[in-house]
């Protein structure tokens, strides 16, 4: 409780002191800007007879007016000035840029008094006091204050944090409080505040150097001695404040005394800084811990960087009254800015403030500035020499040219020195970074995403010396919420995360696309990130990564950028954090990595799309090739661009031969003329039943559709033509028409048969009756017998027609093939005699019956006999042999002709629908439709039978039908009717 109260009191006191210092500094800055102090640049000292010129600096207003050291000022504009106070009132009364008349007594050489000294009136222009260095010092003051506040809030509990803040606050007062000589109460507060700060600030710094690191390890007498030493460090500063108070009583020598006191203060400041640098160096050499050595190394370098130019270019010249260019003096004073940076780093115990980077850049700018100053003055001197000796007309232009050349030289010189300093201090790291930059430039050449990620997690540990690297890839956003996730895609050094843990990682804190997101995330302690949720904090602890950088790339949707991946990095092998230079390099590299990852992802998607496109293209081509329609496309110049397989078959032209050929080279002129007549019209045009002459000389009938070929934007890029060959379809339609006619004829024949049977029965009856009565008439009896026989023959023909035309459906009955063959031959007796064909039959009388449909079987026999008749047309000694025989449960029918035969290459196609070799009708025959054998083959298959063919060109063809034999079956109604017909026929014979 007591410690908490002390902490609150201390915090309140520091806050009040800070607020008061800031308010006073702001008022002081404003009052200084509104109050100009006139000066002649001369050091006046009160002496006998007036004010003696102790020093007349070169280039000062007094020196330009002609005042010399040793001159005695007695009056200004006839106003006596025997003391400093009246002189100060007079020059302040006239103000800056006023012309004051100095009454001067110039002592004669070797004269001991001023009795014989001549009196001179010299016109002196009073100029404003040069206070430009104060603005640079105020900048240093702001740096001290900002760093102190940052470290105090960042590391309040760190050792020396309060000491550091007090040091920064005192330094702020020392560099920002500037006495304006207004001599009022506020100006007095500013004056003494600055004196107190100058006295305390060096002691605070040396106190830190003495107590750094080792004070916590000492106990007892050692700690007591260290405390006494720490108190003793502040004694010179306290004495300096007392000396300033004592000097206020000696106004008769104020100017020279004030200068001497300022010299003591500057010497005291430089001495303490040098001692602190020596202490840091001593402690660095004796440090045992690697971390302590690293901290002390940069503390030593930072202190030397600040103290060396300050001591050499400011303190020593100031103490010895040497003249040094004001530019170098100002730069030497500004070099003290490195002290707060090194001090802050020591407080936080790691490179929170990038001291190594600042150190190297400080060296760079210091050396570059020194080189430029040398070049500048060299050019100025050279220009002055040329102006005075050889080219006096140059004048001011020569000086301007020198300034411009100096400005142009600074930047490349700075870069060269920066590279040189980098290589001196950290050659290995520079080489690694150059390798990393080259690696970043070459990333875009890698198109394999897996190889790209592996190379990233392999190179970064080598170049930045970090132990843990991970790459998280962004997944596609949820289409409902748009929320994107990140998944661990590649890693190095993440030994505590297995494959099973990947799904449990919650890295939603890597959303760099949200409004207000930073350029990177820094987690000082991944195990204790209180601002994250429980699951995210657990994931951050498992990953143990300190830096997360977004890899962004262009977003095609909104012309902005989006995060495509996140790179996570841990500390170095020595436990250090990355410097800001490393982070800037990584941020630049992250943009290259983001573009490379996006390119690899796009390339991967492109490959997938190419694969899908090729698959879709093949699929579409397969569809086009599988369609039994000829399809081809032409461009706007009527050149063929596509040609499917059906077109290849139809025109006997391969795709390679047809592509890029003009349409007129492959198609007949009548088609080209019809095509040209519709090609400029919109919509689809169809040429119905167009007679297309093929290159083979064959003429086919086709429906040809011509349609425009358009893109998705409805831009016509050609024509697509579909050629549907309907020749076979027309033939089928004709066959179907003929079948309908035959069906009608069959019905008509059945009707005629029934009508004819009645008069035939009457004629037969009366003829038989007359025969009985006139049996003894030798002249009429033979005639009546012939009439009776012819009536029986007519009856058989009518009954055969009736049996063939009878529609029995698909009903299967017991069939006697011998009877079926005889009935069929009766029907074909006249056509066979007309064709002069001799029919030989060899029917097995013991032939078993088969189970089948009589009508369909008779159709098969009829088709085979008619085909045989057509094949033997014009053949001498034409013979048709029909035989039946049985064997092994099978019934066989053989029909053999002596015709022209079938060519061997056609044998495998004779059962195909519409295939025929009879293109012209034979005499007494008919033109083939190609359906007879196809229908016969189907009927044989329906009866579980087989059909075999043997043929030899010029010899003849034999068809053999094979059916399974059936057991004896009772007669069906159809068989009973057949028996009745047989009885009737026998009756007619009676």
């Amino acid at each position: 409780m007591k410690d908490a109260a002390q902490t609150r009191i201390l915090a309140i006191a520091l806050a009040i002191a800070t607020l008061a210092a800031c308010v006073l500094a702001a008022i002081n800055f404003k009052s200084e800007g509104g109050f100009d102090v006139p000066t002649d640049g001369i050091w006046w000292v009160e002496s006998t007879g007036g004010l003696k010129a102790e020093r007349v600096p070169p280039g000062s207003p007094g020196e330009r007016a002609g005042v010399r050291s040793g001159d005695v000022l007695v009056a200004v504009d006839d106003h006596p000035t025997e003391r400093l106070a009246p002189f100060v009132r007079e020059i302040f009364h006239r103000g800056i840029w006023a012309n004051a008349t100095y009454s001067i007594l110039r002592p004669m050489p070797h004269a001991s008094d001023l009795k014989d000294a001549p009196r001179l009136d010299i016109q002196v222009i009073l100029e404003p006091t040069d206070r430009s260095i104060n603005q640079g010092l105020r900048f240093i003051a702001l740096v001290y204050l900002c760093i102190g506040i940052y470290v105090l809030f960042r590391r309040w509990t760190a050792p020396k944090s309060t000491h550091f803040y007090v040091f920064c606050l005192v330094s702020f007062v020392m560099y920002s409080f500037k006495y304006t000589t207004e001599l009022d109460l506020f100006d007095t507060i500013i004056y003494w505040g600055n004196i107190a700060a100058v006295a305390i600030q060096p002691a605070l710094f040396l106190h830190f150097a003495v107590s750094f690191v080792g004070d916590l390890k000492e106990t007892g007498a050692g700690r007591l001695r260290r405390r006494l030493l720490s108190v003793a460090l502040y004694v010179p500063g306290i004495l300096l404040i007392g000396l300033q108070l004592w000097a206020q009583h000696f106004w008769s020598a104020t100017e020279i005394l004030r200068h001497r006191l300022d010299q003591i203060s500057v010497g005291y400041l430089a001495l303490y800084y040098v001692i602190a640098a020596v202490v840091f160096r001593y402690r660095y050499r004796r440090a045992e811990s690697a971390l302590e050595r690293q901290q002390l190394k940069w503390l030593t370098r930072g202190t030397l960087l600040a103290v060396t130019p300050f001591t050499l270019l400011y303190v020593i010249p100031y103490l010895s009254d040497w003249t040094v260019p004001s530019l170098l003096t100002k730069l030497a004073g500004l070099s003290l800015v490195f002290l707060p940076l090194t001090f802050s780093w020591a407080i936080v115990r790691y490179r929170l403030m990038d001291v190594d980077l600042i150190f190297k850049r400080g060296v760079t700018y210091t050396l570059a500035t020194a080189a430029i100053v040398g070049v500048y003055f060299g050019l100025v001197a050279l220009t002055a020499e040329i102006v005075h000796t050889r080219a006096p007309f140059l004048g001011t232009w020569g000086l301007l040219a020198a300034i411009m050349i100096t400005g142009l030289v600074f930047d490349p010189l700075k870069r060269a020195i920066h590279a040189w300093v980098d290589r001196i201090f950290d050659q290995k790291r520079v080489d690694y970074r150059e390798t990393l930059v080259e690696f970043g430039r070459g990333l875009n050449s890698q198109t394999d995403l897996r190889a790209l990620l592996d190379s990233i997690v392999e190179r970064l540990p080598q170049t930045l010396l970090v132990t843990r690297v991970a790459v998280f890839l962004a997944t596609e956003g949820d289409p409902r919420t748009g929320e994107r996730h990140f998944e661990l895609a590649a890693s190095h050094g993440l030994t505590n995360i297995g494959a099973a843990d990947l799904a449990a990682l919650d890295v939603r804190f890597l959303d760099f696309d949200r409004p207000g997101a930073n350029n990177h995330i820094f987690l000082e302690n991944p195990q204790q990130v209180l601002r994250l949720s429980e699951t995210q904090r657990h994931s951050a602890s498992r990953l143990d990564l300190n830096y997360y950088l977004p890899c962004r790339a262009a977003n095609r949707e909104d012309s902005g950028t989006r995060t495509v991946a996140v790179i996570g990095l841990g500390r170095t092998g020595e436990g250090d954090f990355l410097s800001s230079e490393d982070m800037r390099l990584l941020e630049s590299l992250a943009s290259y990595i983001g573009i490379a990852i996006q390119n690899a992802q796009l390339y991967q998607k492109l490959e997938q799309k190419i694969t899908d496109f090729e698959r879709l293209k093949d699929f579409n081509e397969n569809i086009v090739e599988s369609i039994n329609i000829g399809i081809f496309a032409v461009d706007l110049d009527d050149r063929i661009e596509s040609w499917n397989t059906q077109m290849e078959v139809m025109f006997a032209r391969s795709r390679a031969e047809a592509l890029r050929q003009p349409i007129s080279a492959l198609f007949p002129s009548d088609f080209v003329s019809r095509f040209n007549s519709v090609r400029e019209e919109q919509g689809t045009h169809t040429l119905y039943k167009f007679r297309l002459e093929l290159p083979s000389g064959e003429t086919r009938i086709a429906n040809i559709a011509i349609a425009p070929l358009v893109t998705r934007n409805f831009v016509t890029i050609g024509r697509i033509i579909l050629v549907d060959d309907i020749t076979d379809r027309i033939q089928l339609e004709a066959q179907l028409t003929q079948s309908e006619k035959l069906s009608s004829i069959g019905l008509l024949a059945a009707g005629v048969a029934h009508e004819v049977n009645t008069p035939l029965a009457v004629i037969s009856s009366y003829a038989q009756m007359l025969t009985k009565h006139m049996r003894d008439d030798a002249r009429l009896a033979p005639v009546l017998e012939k009439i009776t026989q012819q009536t029986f023959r007519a009856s058989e023909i009518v009954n055969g027609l009736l049996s063939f035309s009878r529609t029995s459906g698909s009903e299967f009955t017991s069939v006697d093939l011998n009877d079926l063959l005889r009935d069929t031959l009766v029907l074909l007796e006249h056509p066979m005699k007309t064709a002069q064909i001799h029919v030989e039959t060899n029917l097995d009388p013991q032939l078993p019956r088969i189970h089948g449909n009589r009508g369909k079987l008779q159709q098969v026999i009829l088709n085979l006999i008619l085909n045989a008749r057509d094949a033997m047309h014009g053949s001498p000694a034409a013979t048709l042999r029909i035989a039946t025989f049985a064997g092994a449960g099978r019934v066989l029918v053989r029909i053999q002709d002596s015709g022209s035969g079938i060519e061997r290459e056609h044998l495998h196609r004779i059962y195909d629908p519409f295939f025929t070799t009879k293109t012209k009708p034979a005499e007494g025959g008919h033109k083939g439709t190609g359906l007879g054998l196809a229908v016969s083959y189907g009927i044989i298959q329906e009866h579980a039978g087989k059909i075999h063919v043997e043929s030899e060109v010029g010899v003849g063809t034999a068809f053999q039908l094979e059916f399974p034999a059936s057991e004896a079956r009772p007669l069906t109604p159809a068989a009973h009717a057949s028996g009745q017909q047989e009885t009737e026929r026998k009756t007619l014979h009676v």
Side-chain angles (χ1 to χ4, degrees):
M1 184 66 68
K2 181 178 181 180
D3 293 339
Q6 292 177 351
T7 301
R8 284 195 295 270
I9 294 173
L10 180 60
I12 294 172
L14 290 177
I16 294 174
T18 303
L19 180 62
C22 291
V23 171
L24 292 175
I27 297 174
N28 177 230
F29 173 73
K30 183 177 180 181
S31 63
E32 185 183 64
F35 183 77
D36 292 318
V37 179
T39 182
D40 55 12
I42 303 173
W43 288 18
W44 298 105
V45 179
E46 295 179 359
S47 63
T48 304
L51 300 177
K52 180 181 179 181
E54 183 69 19
R55 291 181 58 189
V56 183
S60 62
E63 192 270 341
R64 290 196 299 270
V67 181
R68 301 176 182 176
S69 297
D71 291 350
V72 177
L73 176 64
V74 296
V76 176
D77 291 338
D78 297 330
H79 291 87
T81 55
E82 296 180 355
R83 299 287 181 180
L84 282 174
F87 170 73
V88 172
R89 283 195 299 271
E90 289 298 330
I91 63 175
F92 269 90
H93 176 71
R94 281 150 183 78
I96 60 174
W97 308 116
N99 191 354
T101 302
Y102 281 16
S103 297
I104 297 294
L105 297 178
R106 182 161 293 167
M108 298 297 293
H110 308 294
S112 59
D113 53 24
L114 300 174
K115 291 181 180 180
D116 300 328
R119 185 184 180 98
L120 303 176
D121 289 335
I122 299 176
Q123 302 296 320
V124 179
I125 298 177
L126 302 176
E127 297 181 3
T129 302
D130 182 15
R131 294 182 292 192
S132 59
I133 186 64
N134 291 349
Q135 311 312 322
L137 296 177
R138 285 191 174 95
F139 170 75
I140 297 176
L142 287 176
V143 172
Y144 269 107
L145 185 61
C146 292
I147 292 177
I149 293 175
Y150 176 80
V151 173
L152 186 65
F153 281 96
R154 180 75 176 181
R155 300 286 287 176
W156 170 264
T157 59
K160 306 296 181 186
S161 59
T162 306
H163 186 161
F164 171 69
Y165 184 74
V166 171
F167 168 74
C168 289
L169 183 60
V170 172
S171 300
F172 173 78
V173 172
M174 183 180 75
Y175 289 112
S176 62
F177 282 21
K178 299 301 173 185
Y179 175 55
T180 63
T181 69
E182 287 186 84
L183 302 177
D184 56 3
L185 177 62
F186 177 77
D187 205 30
T188 302
I189 295 174
I190 294 297
Y191 175 76
W192 285 107
N194 177 264
I195 289 177
V198 169
I200 296 174
Q201 196 258 8
L204 288 170
F205 184 68
L206 184 56
H207 182 191
F208 169 77
V210 171
S211 60
F212 181 73
V213 178
D215 57 341
L216 299 178
K217 300 178 182 180
E218 296 181 354
T219 56
R223 181 174 298 180
L224 178 60
R225 287 195 299 270
R226 184 176 297 278
R227 290 181 177 178
L228 292 176
L229 177 60
S230 299
V231 173
L233 294 177
Y234 293 90
V235 173
I238 296 173
L239 294 178
L240 188 60
I241 295 174
L243 187 62
Q244 290 282 359
L245 290 171
W246 174 77
Q248 295 299 320
H249 299 283
F250 293 88
W251 289 102
S252 59
T254 299
E255 189 70 21
I256 187 64
L257 181 59
R258 182 178 301 166
H259 175 66
R260 298 305 179 197
L261 289 176
D262 289 343
Q263 286 181 321
I264 293 173
S265 299
V266 170
Y268 157 74
L269 179 68
L271 178 63
Y272 266 48
Y273 283 168
V274 171
I275 295 174
V278 173
V279 172
F280 283 138
R281 177 63 180 176
Y282 173 76
R283 283 187 166 275
Y284 167 70
R285 299 187 64 178
R286 296 189 58 184
E288 298 178 357
S289 170
L291 179 61
E292 292 178 7
R293 288 179 60 84
Q294 187 179 18
Q295 294 169 343
L296 287 167
K297 176 182 67 176
W298 293 112
L299 279 176
T300 304
R301 293 180 179 181
T303 305
L304 291 176
L305 177 64
V307 170
T308 302
F310 176 71
T311 303
L312 297 179
L313 300 178
Y314 186 87
V315 176
I316 294 178
Y318 188 72
L319 294 179
S320 58
D321 294 335
W322 291 350
T323 302
V324 176
S326 60
L327 178 61
L328 292 179
T329 303
K330 293 176 181 179
L331 290 176
L334 293 177
S335 66
L336 294 175
V337 73
F338 295 108
L339 280 178
L341 300 177
T342 56
F343 201 2
S344 64
W345 187 34
I347 287 295
V348 296
R349 298 297 181 98
Y350 48 75
R351 288 184 296 174
L352 188 62
M353 305 305 298
D354 257 349
V355 179
D356 55 345
L357 177 62
I358 296 171
F359 173 77
K360 287 186 289 185
R361 290 188 176 178
V363 172
T364 298
Y365 280 95
T366 301
L367 295 178
T369 303
I372 287 299
V373 169
V375 172
Y376 173 75
F377 283 108
L379 289 175
V380 170
L382 180 62
T383 304
E385 180 64 23
I386 295 174
V387 167
H388 286 92
T389 58
R390 301 183 181 181
F393 61 87
L394 290 177
T396 306
W397 294 106
L399 295 177
L400 291 176
I403 295 172
M404 292 176 62
I405 293 173
T406 304
L408 293 174
V409 168
F410 180 80
D411 192 60
L413 182 62
K414 181 203 72 176
R415 287 198 300 268
I417 293 176
H418 181 64
W420 175 73
V421 171
D422 276 343
R423 293 192 176 278
I424 287 179
F425 284 99
D426 209 341
Q427 175 67 43
K428 186 176 181 181
R429 201 174 189 86
V430 169
D431 293 339
Y432 278 156
R433 286 172 181 167
E434 291 179 352
T435 304
L436 192 61
V437 170
E438 293 298 326
F439 166 67
R441 292 173 179 170
L443 282 175
N444 288 332
S445 61
Q446 180 62 262
T447 56
D448 187 345
L449 182 60
R450 185 70 265 166
L452 176 62
L453 297 176
D454 291 340
S455 62
I456 291 172
V457 298
E458 178 183 355
R459 286 293 187 92
L460 290 180
Q462 295 176 357
T463 53
L464 297 174
L465 306 180
V466 293
T467 58
R468 302 167 69 84
V469 176
V471 178
F472 302 87
L473 286 183
T475 60
E476 294 296 331
D478 189 340
R480 294 171 298 178
T481 63
E483 184 179 1
R484 303 171 70 224
H485 302 280
F486 290 89
E487 297 178 353
L488 182 62
S491 63
H492 170 82
L494 302 185
T495 57
N496 58 336
I497 296 181
D501 301 326
L502 296 180
L505 288 178
D506 185 2
V507 290
R508 286 176 294 173
F509 59 90
L510 298 181
D511 184 11
F512 288 94
D513 293 332
R514 68 180 186 278
N518 297 324
N519 290 331
H520 68 272
I521 295 176
F522 171 67
L523 303 180
E524 179 182 346
N525 187 356
Q527 285 73 26
Q528 298 179 357
V529 188
L530 300 180
R531 60 184 177 84
L532 299 180
S533 64
E534 181 64 29
T535 57
Q536 295 179 22
R537 185 162 61 249
H538 178 71
S539 299
S541 175
R542 294 291 301 274
L543 292 169
D544 195 21
L545 299 172
N546 301 93
Y547 299 92
Y548 294 92
L549 290 90
C551 301
R552 295 188 173 98
N555 189 359
R556 293 170 293 175
E557 298 178 358
D558 56 5
S559 300
T561 59
R562 66 170 185 171
T563 304
V564 298
V566 174
I567 299 178
L569 304 103
R571 301 191 190 190
T572 65
E574 298 179 355
D576 296 328
F577 289 90
L578 298 176
S579 66
S580 61
E581 186 177 26
D582 294 331
M583 296 306 297
R584 276 193 297 272
L585 180 63
L586 281 172
E587 288 176 359
S588 301
L589 182 64
S591 61
Y592 288 105
I593 293 177
I595 295 173
I597 290 177
Q598 186 184 53
N599 290 343
Q601 290 176 335
L602 291 176
Y603 185 81
Q604 194 176 50
K605 292 180 180 178
L606 180 60
E607 284 187 330
Q608 182 62 38
K609 287 186 176 180
I610 290 175
T611 303
D612 295 341
F613 173 77
E614 291 292 339
R615 183 180 58 81
L616 183 61
K617 179 174 176 291
D618 293 341
F619 181 73
N620 292 335
E621 288 182 352
N622 292 337
I623 293 177
V624 173
E625 297 298 332
S626 301
I627 294 176
N628 195 25
I629 296 177
I631 301 175
F632 69 97
V634 296
D635 59 13
L636 296 177
D637 296 328
D638 294 342
R639 293 186 178 274
I640 296 175
E641 291 293 334
S642 68
W643 188 263
N644 76 338
T645 303
Q646 192 64 25
M647 292 300 299
E648 290 182 330
V649 174
M650 189 182 304
F651 278 77
R653 292 287 183 91
S654 66
R655 187 178 287 106
E657 294 174 338
L659 293 180
R660 303 307 301 163
Q661 291 293 324
I663 195 173
S664 59
L666 298 179
F667 289 84
S669 58
D670 56 344
F671 172 78
V672 175
S673 61
R674 291 291 299 275
F675 176 80
N676 290 333
S677 65
V678 301
R679 65 189 302 274
E680 298 297 335
E681 299 180 10
Q682 300 295 326
T684 302
H685 298 272
T686 304
L687 309 179
Y688 290 101
K689 295 185 178 180
F690 186 85
R691 299 183 67 85
L692 187 63
E693 294 184 4
L694 302 180
S696 62
E698 183 182 1
T699 300
R700 307 290 289 180
I701 301 175
N703 289 337
I704 303 177
I706 303 173
L709 184 64
V710 297
T711 64
R712 290 183 178 180
N713 299 326
F714 302 100
V715 177
T716 301
I717 60 175
R719 293 290 186 275
I720 184 168
I721 299 94
L722 284 74
V723 181
D724 185 9
D725 186 355
I726 61 173
T727 305
D728 295 336
R729 189 189 312 165
I730 290 177
Q731 293 178 357
L732 178 60
E733 290 175 355
Q735 180 66 26
L736 291 175
T737 302
Q738 184 66 21
S739 298
E740 290 294 330
K741 290 181 181 179
L742 293 176
S743 177
S744 299
I745 292 173
L747 292 175
L748 179 61
V752 170
H754 282 289
E755 294 298 327
V756 170
N757 269 334
T758 301
L760 281 177
V762 174
I763 293 171
S764 177
S765 296
Y766 281 108
Q768 292 182 47
M769 185 177 61
L770 287 174
T771 300
K772 291 179 180 180
H773 290 288
M774 303 183 69
R775 184 179 305 162
D776 297 331
D777 190 343
R779 185 176 59 88
L780 294 177
V783 173
L784 293 173
E785 183 67 26
K786 288 182 180 180
I787 292 173
T788 302
Q789 291 177 356
Q790 292 302 318
T791 56
F792 280 126
R793 183 173 180 274
S795 177
E796 289 178 355
I797 293 173
V798 170
N799 289 331
L801 287 173
L802 184 61
S803 176
F804 181 72
S805 63
R806 183 179 291 115
T807 55
S808 59
S810 298
E811 182 182 357
F812 278 41
T813 61
S814 179
V815 178
D816 186 349
L817 289 178
N818 288 339
D819 289 343
L820 182 64
L821 289 169
R822 293 189 190 100
D823 293 342
T824 305
L825 288 174
V826 171
L827 290 175
L828 297 175
E829 181 178 356
H830 177 72
M832 302 302 282
K833 286 182 179 181
T834 304
Q836 297 181 354
I837 297 174
H838 176 66
V839 179
E840 295 181 358
T841 59
N842 184 14
L843 305 180
D844 184 1
Q846 302 299 325
L847 187 70
R849 302 173 73 89
I850 68 170
H851 188 64
N853 183 282
R854 182 180 180 86
K856 291 185 177 181
L857 292 173
Q858 189 174 21
Q859 183 179 355
V860 172
I861 302 299
L862 186 64
N863 286 334
L864 293 177
I865 293 175
L866 290 175
N867 286 342
R869 183 203 65 175
D870 295 337
M872 292 185 293
H873 175 71
S875 176
T879 302
L880 177 65
R881 296 179 177 88
I882 301 176
T884 59
F885 50 94
R890 311 291 290 181
V891 177
L892 294 93
V893 179
R894 185 176 181 86
I895 301 174
Q896 183 176 356
D897 64 59
S898 60
S900 59
I902 304 173
E903 296 181 359
R904 185 176 300 274
E905 60 268 20
H906 293 160
L907 285 176
H908 67 285
R909 298 185 62 192
I910 61 175
Y911 303 112
D912 293 344
F914 307 109
F915 176 78
T916 180
T917 58
K918 296 181 289 185
T919 58
K920 295 181 180 179
E923 183 179 354
H926 63 283
K927 181 181 178 181
T929 62
L931 292 174
L933 286 178
V935 172
S936 298
Y937 183 83
I939 294 174
I940 297 299
Q941 293 292 321
E942 186 179 0
H943 286 73
K946 298 179 182 179
I947 183 169
H948 305 280
V949 61
E950 299 174 3
S951 181
E952 186 176 350
V953 177
V955 176
T957 303
F959 282 91
Q960 182 170 302
L961 307 180
E962 183 178 340
F963 301 98
S966 64
E967 299 177 356
R969 298 173 182 269
L971 292 177
T972 61
H976 182 69
S978 177
Q980 288 181 345
Q981 292 177 6
E982 183 68 22
T983 303
E984 182 181 358
R985 185 171 55 194
K986 292 178 180 179
T987 302
L988 289 174
H989 280 291
V990 174

